[in-house]
Amino acid sequence: MKKDKKPQKVGGLRAVELNYRPIREISSGRTVCYHSQTRLNSPKLGVIMPESYRDVAEMSVQCLNLFSLEFAQALEAAEKFTEREVAYSWLSVYMPIWFLNEKKAEKKALEMCEKYGIPTNKICFELSERLLAETDGTASEAIKNMRNRGFHFMLSDFGGDSCPMMRLADFPVDYVMLSPQVANYIGRDERSDSAVKSIIGFVSDMGCEAIADGVSNSRQAEMLYEFECSYCTGTLAGKYVTERFIRQKNDENDQ
């Protein structure tokens, strides 16, 4: 199958552009995965961040068209990582819940990976907390089937003020990225630390790996490790960069 045509550009930039930041193993400081963030480049509005367009996009089929572009770009990045011998377990790409409810979601995802020659286990689909509002079982079944094909799934922004935590039991995701609000509670007082430890324990009991987001200093990372959270991302781990800046180095901490 032929790959998609070159993406539309705006002022020399891709109209849809993925940036990547490292997810690090706390014990070693080693980069193990890459978390993507999609930015839209508008000729009139400049760079548009996800918090400014996701909610609107997911009100219509527009989110599926956007996902197709994002997924293709993530697979292109995976190709480049392989060429550069970048060591990583997986890279993430945001998936709208609409896609999980598509009848041929699994088939479409498999065809995309086959088109680019990327193993399914190199892709982790990031799902928003909107997933927890799904009640008919369709999304949960789709996740289960696609995991059986090798794909990973990560629920993001978990543990925030508005997150219905108990609904996690209904969805067989592999990873749970904790809300930055969780990291901000670390070190406030004994009760706050106990709350963070309980959230991590709950995630683990659901059979998921917790990834702490919003980690900005080594003290937070050390306490998270004590609470049995093995992975973190945020300013301590590294900032978002475009794919071309990610290369294998002798000292991965310099990535």
Side-chain angles (χ1 to χ4, degrees), residues 21 129 155-163 176-186 196 199 203 211-215 224 233:
R21 65 176 176 174
E129 63 177 28
L155 178 67
S156 62
D157 207 29
F158 187 78
D161 292 341
S162 62
C163 178
V176 170
M177 182 171 284
L178 306 180
S179 168
Q181 292 178 358
V182 176
N184 287 337
Y185 270 89
I186 295 173
V196 174
I199 291 173
V203 169
I211 300 172
D213 193 4
V215 178
L224 284 163
T233 190

Side-chain angles (χ1 to χ4, degrees), residues 26 178 182-183 186 196 200 212-213 215 217-232:
I26 295 175
L178 306 180
V182 176
I186 295 173
V196 174
I200 295 169
D213 193 4
V215 178
N217 59 69
S218 58
R219 178 56 179 159
Q220 289 176 325
E222 289 167 1
M223 293 190 70
L224 284 163
Y225 188 68
E226 289 179 12
F227 297 160
E228 299 186 3
C229 175
S230 297
Y231 306 101
C232 74

Side-chain angles (χ1 to χ4, degrees), residues 7-248:
Q8 179 183 355
K9 292 192 174 184
V10 176
L13 299 173
R14 292 183 184 227
V16 175
E17 185 169 35
L18 269 64
N19 282 238
Y20 305 87
R21 65 176 176 174
I23 294 174
R24 296 193 187 275
E25 184 179 57
I26 295 175
S27 61
S28 66
R30 181 174 59 92
T31 297
V32 290
C33 307
Y34 287 94
H35 177 235
S36 75
Q37 179 191 73
T38 305
R39 305 175 184 186
L40 306 184
N41 294 309
S42 166
K44 294 183 178 180
L45 301 176
V47 179
I48 307 175
M49 304 299 283
E51 56 268 23
S52 299
Y53 69 80
R54 284 287 184 205
D55 288 345
V56 175
E58 296 199 29
M59 293 175 67
S60 71
V61 72
Q62 180 184 8
C63 67
L64 297 179
N65 299 328
L66 180 58
F67 172 64
S68 180
L69 296 172
E70 292 173 291
F71 192 14
Q73 194 172 142
L75 291 169
E76 289 173 6
E79 280 187 311
K80 296 291 180 62
F81 290 177
T82 298
E83 291 172 5
R84 298 172 194 154
E85 298 184 345
V86 174
Y88 71 104
S89 294
W90 49 255
L91 61 83
S92 75
V93 60
Y94 183 89
M95 175 188 281
I97 309 304
W98 274 53
F99 186 80
L100 284 176
N101 291 322
E102 291 272 288
K103 289 184 178 180
K104 296 183 179 180
E106 178 184 343
K107 182 174 183 291
K108 290 177 181 178
L110 288 169
E111 287 177 348
M112 284 289 285
C113 282
E114 182 180 356
K115 179 189 296 187
Y116 286 86
I118 302 301
T120 56
N121 64 3
K122 288 295 186 180
I123 299 297
C124 181
F125 293 117
E126 177 184 355
L127 305 170
S128 76
E129 63 177 28
R130 292 184 186 87
L131 175 70
L132 302 179
E134 297 291 306
T135 58
D136 67 358
T138 302
S140 180
E141 186 66 18
I143 292 172
K144 179 181 177 181
N145 292 338
M146 292 178 71
R147 286 183 68 206
N148 287 338
R149 292 289 195 166
F151 293 107
H152 306 290
F153 283 86
M154 176 176 69
L155 178 67
S156 62
D157 207 29
F158 187 78
D161 292 341
S162 62
C163 178
M165 291 176 53
M166 293 302 295
R167 294 301 317 284
L168 179 62
D170 295 334
F171 301 97
V173 298
D174 303 276
Y175 301 92
V176 170
M177 182 171 284
L178 306 180
S179 168
Q181 292 178 358
V182 176
N184 287 337
Y185 270 89
I186 295 173
R188 287 187 181 181
D189 52 45
E190 187 174 341
R191 287 174 61 85
S192 296
D193 290 345
S194 293
V196 174
K197 186 175 182 180
S198 295
I199 291 173
I200 295 169
F202 176 73
V203 169
S204 178
D205 288 345
M206 291 296 101
C208 310
E209 285 276 7
I211 300 172
D213 193 4
V215 178
S216 60
N217 59 69
S218 58
R219 178 56 179 159
Q220 289 176 325
E222 289 167 1
M223 293 190 70
L224 284 163
Y225 188 68
E226 289 179 12
F227 297 160
E228 299 186 3
C229 175
S230 297
Y231 306 101
C232 74
T233 190
T235 55
L236 180 68
K239 63 182 180 180
Y240 284 105
V241 297
T242 56
E243 159 269 310
R244 65 180 179 274
F245 289 112
I246 299 177
R247 299 180 179 276
Q248 185 67 21

